[in-house]
Amino acid sequence: MKKRKIKELVLGKALDPMQSDTRHSMALVAFLAWVGLGADGLSSSAYGPEETFRALGAHAHLGLYMAIATAVTVFIIALAYNQVIELFPTGGGGYRVATKLVGPYMGLISGCALILDYVLTISISVASGVDAIASFLPLAFQDYKLWAEAFFIGVLIILNLRGLKEAIKILLPIFLGFVATHFVLIVYGVFAHASNLPELVPSTLAETGELAKNIGWTGVAAMLLLAYSQGGGTYTGLEAVSNNVNILAEPRVRTGKVTMLYMALSLAFTAGGIILLYLLWNAQPVPGETLNATTFKSIIAHMGLGGPLVNSSLLVIVLAFEAGLLFVAANTGFLGGPAVLSNMAGDSWVPHKFRYLSTRLVTQNGILVLGLAALAILFWTRGSVTLLVVLYSISVFLTFAISLCGLCLYWWRKRKKLQHWRRRFLLSLTGFIICAGILAILLAERFTEGGWATIAIIAVIASGCIYVRKHYRDTKKAIRSVDSVFASQPMGHHVGPVEPDPSKQTAVFIVGNSRGGGLHALLWVLRMFPDHFKNFIFINARTVDSHAYGGEGALEQMRTEADATLKYFVDFCHSHNMASASYLSFGTDVVNEVTDLCEEVSEDYPNAIFFTSKLVFETDNWFTRLLHNQAALAIQRRLHFEGLQMVILPMKV
């Protein structure tokens, strides 16, 4: 009891997944989705533009091209991903697109890249956020940055375990503060140099021509492409909406498109505007400061709102909001990553337990794994944003390229059926060329500076996924063979129901989806205890996982299937003139639900003994225990503690 109270205090009270208004109350409208999912993209303006501008070196005048290219690219990718929202309104994003449109193994690669993407979203956002804070703290703070980053990740893990809406509401003021302060600084910063704007284009063209005389147009193009690719982190996060359409308010597609519009407008304005500020204010790197901090310091001083103390205070506020937004962006990793793991668990690439929901209706296992992985990468890279950006950009653009390739294939295949396929095909193709180009340049230029690590991590994750899927495939094949054996069991000749007598000996069977498993237990009991049991009760506690809770009508379908399975067992007993009844329950924790059902049945039938089947493998080790829940043993311990008898029957596979 004490343990449960502590859990409720930290995570909040349990929610009922079967309440009709629970999901509606948790679903995100476009504005909250922009905060929860769009922060990832918007926060990249804290490090993406800086990486672009630094790559230009002494040729800062080329920044004008980068500002325009950044804004245009944001809209191209956003419009392309609107198509993903239309085609896959139940979520899944890049993973689902690649799986359905390119093939399961390309889907696996995309899924692995997405998992790494979201882990790095957490790592790089928190690292950049702490860097922003460090910009207005003494240099001595640099020694404590890594532990500060670990602390913030721990806080975000707890917030997300409480539920996504609670996390977003807490972080909302930070998001709005960032938008307001950066909007003012960008607008003022541009208009303060309005007199220079008419000359900016001709002077840029003239300087570009001079540069081309020295290094050739090929050299200029190579320089622009490298800077453009280095700033690839700017576009990360645009895929977040398509990955999480299932958590949006109805109508989901429209909500997703509105959210994507908010994201594209805000990111194009902020990222493009910041690059323009670097150019107009002649931004130069300063040790211990981000380029944003240096530029904003100059703009605030130019505003003349007060003395040095006031200016410093205003800069602290701006950078605090920037750091705060980066923490909000890290939160996106906790929303999107577990969703990808859940989709991959549905296809048996990763352990099925990644589909399970906690009492707060969040994918708890995914949140914990993403958080721990982010901590591991932070400590491995020592929080280096430059290295993290390389890892991050490669994983993101690998997903982008595969997804957009899938869209190109889809529209090409549909060219004879759809009237307006050309426009969509060209949009997808343009996006694919941009993303594949950035990916190729990053791999070529940064392979020895961290690019190899991205490929190695994705390859390791993919290899593990293939092994997991093979095990699940073999297990399903064995279960199907068991089901086929027991499917031949004939119904009896008795017609009509036979009501149980609560005073008589009762066998209670905890059954799942497998009819073969249930019949295996029933026939085993009849063979071992002939004529002993007079009542045969079947109970089923269905786990409301992320798939059942995400899709429209999925809960009703799950209830229908569960009712049909229980009816089969009861009808089988009635046909053999055996008294039978059934109990059904739904929840997020199968052990709690089954235990509560068993206690309810024991009150109705005092002379009850409980039975269930458990898969037994020829070689039992930590790996099989990881892939298959140990619910039967946990339920047995709970029931024995309550004084109820339970027998576990082995079912060899």
Side-chain angles (χ1 to χ4, degrees):
M1 184 64 72
K2 190 182 229 181
K3 183 178 177 183
R4 183 175 291 184
K5 290 235 179 225
I6 294 173
K7 185 178 179 182
E8 283 188 2
L9 181 66
V10 176
L11 303 182
K13 291 185 177 180
L15 300 174
D16 183 359
M18 301 309 289
Q19 284 285 95
S20 59
D21 61 342
T22 302
R23 190 197 179 281
H24 176 73
S25 67
M26 294 176 63
L28 301 180
V29 296
F31 180 75
L32 286 181
W34 177 42
V35 176
L37 302 174
D40 183 11
L42 191 56
S43 69
S44 62
S45 60
Y47 50 84
E50 178 169 349
E51 293 296 325
T52 297
F53 201 74
R54 284 179 182 273
L56 294 174
H59 308 290
H61 65 276
L62 298 176
L64 179 61
Y65 303 123
M66 292 295 98
I68 296 169
T70 297
V72 171
T73 304
V74 166
F75 279 101
I76 289 174
I77 295 176
L79 288 171
Y81 265 84
N82 269 347
Q83 299 175 27
V84 177
I85 294 171
E86 287 179 6
L87 295 175
F88 298 91
T90 56
Y95 168 70
R96 192 59 65 203
V97 171
T99 300
K100 297 292 185 184
L101 303 183
V102 185
Y105 285 97
M106 289 306 290
L108 170 63
I109 298 299
S110 181
C112 294
L114 269 174
I115 292 169
L116 180 59
D117 167 16
Y118 281 118
V119 170
L120 290 166
T121 294
I122 300 168
S123 301
I124 195 172
S125 298
V126 170
S128 297
V130 173
D131 277 354
I133 293 172
S135 294
F136 57 79
L137 292 177
L139 282 174
F141 177 75
Q142 300 287 329
D143 296 335
Y144 303 98
K145 275 171 50 178
L146 199 57
W147 293 108
E149 291 159 8
F151 169 76
F152 285 120
I153 288 178
V155 171
L156 287 170
I157 289 173
I158 293 174
L159 280 177
N160 280 277
L161 289 176
R162 290 185 64 89
L164 59 92
K165 233 180 183 178
E166 289 205 21
I168 290 171
K169 284 180 178 177
I170 291 171
L171 299 171
L172 176 61
I174 299 170
F175 181 89
L176 295 179
F178 173 92
V179 172
T181 53
H182 283 62
F183 177 82
V184 170
L185 286 171
I186 291 171
V187 171
Y188 179 86
V190 171
F191 278 96
H193 284 72
S195 58
N196 298 332
L197 290 176
E199 300 176 5
L200 188 60
V201 174
S203 64
T204 299
L205 292 173
E207 290 179 35
T208 306
E210 286 296 317
L211 181 62
K213 289 179 182 178
N214 296 327
I215 63 174
W217 285 106
T218 303
V220 173
M223 187 181 296
L224 287 171
L225 283 172
L226 180 59
Y228 182 62
S229 302
Q230 274 291 98
T234 305
Y235 317 113
T236 57
L238 287 172
E239 79 286 358
V241 178
S242 65
N243 289 334
N244 297 278
V245 183
N246 56 301
I247 66 173
L248 301 181
E250 298 287 355
R252 291 179 185 174
V253 172
R254 184 178 180 280
T255 304
K257 287 186 174 183
V258 173
T259 305
M260 188 66 88
L261 177 62
Y262 292 163
M263 288 176 64
L265 288 171
S266 56
L267 179 56
F269 174 82
T270 308
I274 286 176
I275 294 176
L276 193 58
L277 290 182
Y278 294 159
L279 183 61
L280 293 173
W281 290 83
N282 192 29
Q284 299 294 328
V286 175
E289 291 184 7
T290 63
L291 212 54
N292 281 10
T294 305
T295 308
F296 294 156
K297 184 191 293 184
S298 300
I299 295 172
I300 290 171
H302 189 273
M303 286 180 172
L305 299 175
L309 182 61
V310 173
N311 291 343
S312 297
S313 300
L314 289 173
L315 179 63
V316 167
I317 292 171
V318 171
L319 294 178
F321 277 127
E322 189 170 284
L325 183 78
L326 285 158
F327 297 143
V328 181
N331 192 65
T332 307
F334 288 109
L335 297 181
V340 175
L341 280 171
S342 173
N343 278 292
M344 294 180 72
D347 294 334
S348 297
W349 289 116
V350 297
H352 290 162
K353 59 181 64 180
F354 284 110
R355 290 175 57 171
Y356 299 161
L357 297 173
S358 69
T359 57
R360 294 293 295 175
L361 304 183
V362 295
T363 45
Q364 178 175 290
N365 293 321
I367 289 170
L368 292 172
V369 166
L370 267 287
L372 292 174
L375 281 171
I377 284 185
L378 263 181
F379 280 100
W380 171 54
T381 61
R382 308 301 297 173
S384 168
V385 173
T386 301
L387 176 56
L388 286 168
V389 164
V390 174
L391 299 173
Y392 191 29
S393 298
I394 291 174
S395 63
V396 169
F397 280 96
L398 177 58
T399 303
F400 279 175
I402 294 173
S403 300
L404 292 168
C405 176
L407 288 175
C408 290
L409 291 173
Y410 177 81
W411 297 121
W412 183 256
R413 290 168 188 155
K414 297 286 183 180
R415 66 188 184 279
K416 294 180 180 178
K417 298 179 182 177
L418 299 176
Q419 190 175 7
H420 303 292
W421 70 273
R422 280 190 180 83
R423 177 172 54 84
R424 298 190 172 198
F425 174 77
L426 289 173
L427 176 62
S428 302
L429 183 62
T430 303
F432 170 72
I433 291 171
I434 290 172
C435 294
I438 292 175
L439 176 63
I441 294 168
L442 283 171
L443 283 173
E445 294 289 333
R446 296 289 182 260
F447 187 80
T448 58
E449 299 173 25
W452 65 269
T454 308
I455 304 302
I457 293 170
I458 291 172
V460 169
I461 298 173
S463 300
C465 290
I466 290 171
Y467 191 68
V468 167
R469 197 182 205 199
K470 181 181 181 302
H471 174 85
Y472 277 133
R473 187 184 291 129
D474 293 343
T475 304
K476 284 181 181 178
K477 185 178 178 181
I479 292 173
R480 279 197 298 268
S481 67
V482 172
D483 285 348
S484 64
V485 169
F486 286 97
S488 60
Q489 291 295 320
M491 288 284 185
H493 301 292
H494 181 81
V495 178
V498 183
E499 297 298 327
D501 183 349
S503 64
K504 293 183 178 179
Q505 294 294 326
T506 303
V508 183
F509 299 94
I510 303 167
V511 298
N513 299 328
S514 170
R515 294 186 179 185
L519 284 178
H520 166 264
L522 173 63
L523 296 177
W524 187 92
V525 168
L526 291 173
R527 186 174 69 254
M528 297 301 295
F529 305 99
D531 298 324
H532 178 74
F533 293 104
K534 305 303 179 184
N535 303 323
F536 300 88
I537 309 299
F538 297 89
I539 66 175
N540 187 356
R542 287 295 180 100
T543 303
V544 181
D545 60 21
S546 57
H547 284 208
Y549 205 60
E552 192 67 24
L555 284 175
E556 290 74 15
Q557 182 182 350
M558 183 176 67
R559 187 190 293 275
T560 301
E561 290 173 355
D563 284 335
T565 301
L566 288 175
K567 186 176 184 300
Y568 170 80
F569 291 127
V570 172
D571 288 347
F572 181 86
C573 289
H574 287 168
S575 72
H576 289 86
N577 199 24
M578 296 187 297
S580 183
S582 66
Y583 289 71
L584 177 61
S585 176
F586 296 91
T588 57
D589 188 320
V590 68
V591 175
N592 286 340
E593 291 301 318
V594 170
T595 304
D596 291 344
L597 267 184
C598 290
E599 290 174 355
E600 181 184 342
V601 171
S602 69
E603 291 178 5
D604 296 340
Y605 300 91
N607 301 311
I609 296 180
F610 298 87
F611 298 88
T612 192
S613 296
K614 180 181 182 295
L615 299 178
V616 177
F617 298 91
E618 188 174 348
T619 54
D620 185 36
N621 51 41
W622 67 269
F623 180 70
T624 56
R625 289 191 290 273
L626 174 68
L627 299 187
H628 301 275
N629 66 54
Q630 304 297 305
L633 294 173
I635 293 166
Q636 186 183 53
R637 283 195 298 269
R638 292 272 289 272
L639 293 184
H640 284 180
F641 186 78
E642 297 294 332
L644 303 176
Q645 298 304 311
M646 177 176 171
V647 178
I648 297 177
L649 309 176
M651 190 168 77
K652 295 179 183 179
V653 293

